[in-house]
Amino acid sequence: MGNPAVLFFLIMFVIGTDTFLISPLIPTLQDLFHISTGMSGWMMGAYALGYALFALIAGPLSDGWDRKKVMLGGIICFAVSTILCGFATGFWSMFLFRFLAGVSAAFTSPQVWAAIPALFPPQRIAKVLGTTAQASPYRRRSAYRSATGSPLPIGRTRSSRSEHARRCLQRSSTSLYPS
């Protein structure tokens, strides 16, 4: 790949997206693994836990190592553990694979941020850092919110959402307690 800025953006996009990738699948996985709602939330939390625990040591630990090898190893482990999530046979195997994906992401992300000042001239560093930071789902949502005042780019406006919710509640209460 000719432009490392594009590669860094893609790495952070994949890592950031994987954080929330499992959210829409939780109800399906809950039924598949026969687990409670509380337990199913840990499938998402496992990734965050692995990332949080190892982010504290991954950056300082990898400072003494070859940055390119650590980034490559992190991406390979990340890809393998994410693919293994598709083969999980139960809650604990899914938890383990999600945890390992988080650990791998924790080793990869610091390499991206540390490589940018090392690879780009001073006048381009801020632009590449800003572009790469936009790959995060958190950044995309907050940028949309700043521009439009709406928390998400999909769905109804706030007033129509609340009207829709009121009608749904009204329908469900009349079906539960017929007159």
Side-chain angles (χ1 to χ4, degrees):
M1 185 168 258
N3 188 353
V6 173
L7 176 64
F8 295 153
F9 177 87
L10 291 173
I11 288 170
M12 295 309 293
F13 179 81
V14 170
I15 287 173
T17 302
D18 195 71
T19 307
F20 300 106
L21 189 64
I22 199 167
S23 296
L25 301 174
I26 284 182
T28 304
L29 294 172
Q30 189 177 348
D31 292 340
L32 182 68
F33 297 150
H34 308 291
I35 56 174
S36 68
T37 303
M39 289 293 286
S40 65
W42 276 105
M43 288 186 283
M44 191 167 164
Y47 180 89
L49 183 65
Y51 192 99
L53 290 176
F54 282 84
L56 298 173
I57 61 168
L61 189 62
S62 61
D63 282 343
W65 300 339
D66 181 6
R67 204 171 299 290
K68 192 184 265 186
K69 287 180 183 175
V70 173
M71 188 183 307
L72 183 62
I75 285 294
I76 290 170
C77 291
F78 178 82
V80 169
S81 57
T82 301
I83 290 168
L84 287 173
C85 287
F87 297 100
T89 57
F91 169 76
W92 289 109
S93 59
M94 178 63 88
F95 183 92
L96 175 66
F97 298 145
R98 293 285 296 157
F99 182 84
L100 292 174
V103 170
S104 303
F107 272 91
T108 305
S109 297
Q111 306 320 309
V112 169
W113 301 122
I116 291 172
L119 294 176
F120 292 93
Q123 62 273 19
R124 287 199 56 212
I125 291 173
K127 183 176 182 180
V128 175
L129 284 171
T131 304
T132 303
Q134 291 304 311
S136 165
Y138 299 114
R139 298 276 185 198
R140 289 191 302 265
R141 277 201 313 232
S142 64
Y144 184 84
R145 180 178 290 166
S146 299
T148 65
S150 176
L152 292 174
I154 56 174
R156 303 177 168 101
T157 62
R158 286 186 184 164
S159 60
S160 67
R161 275 196 308 250
S162 60
E163 179 61 26
H164 176 71
R166 186 187 61 73
R167 277 184 280 161
C168 288
L169 284 172
Q170 199 172 34
R171 256 186 263 135
S172 65
S173 64
T174 55
S175 64
L176 289 174
Y177 305 106
S179 344

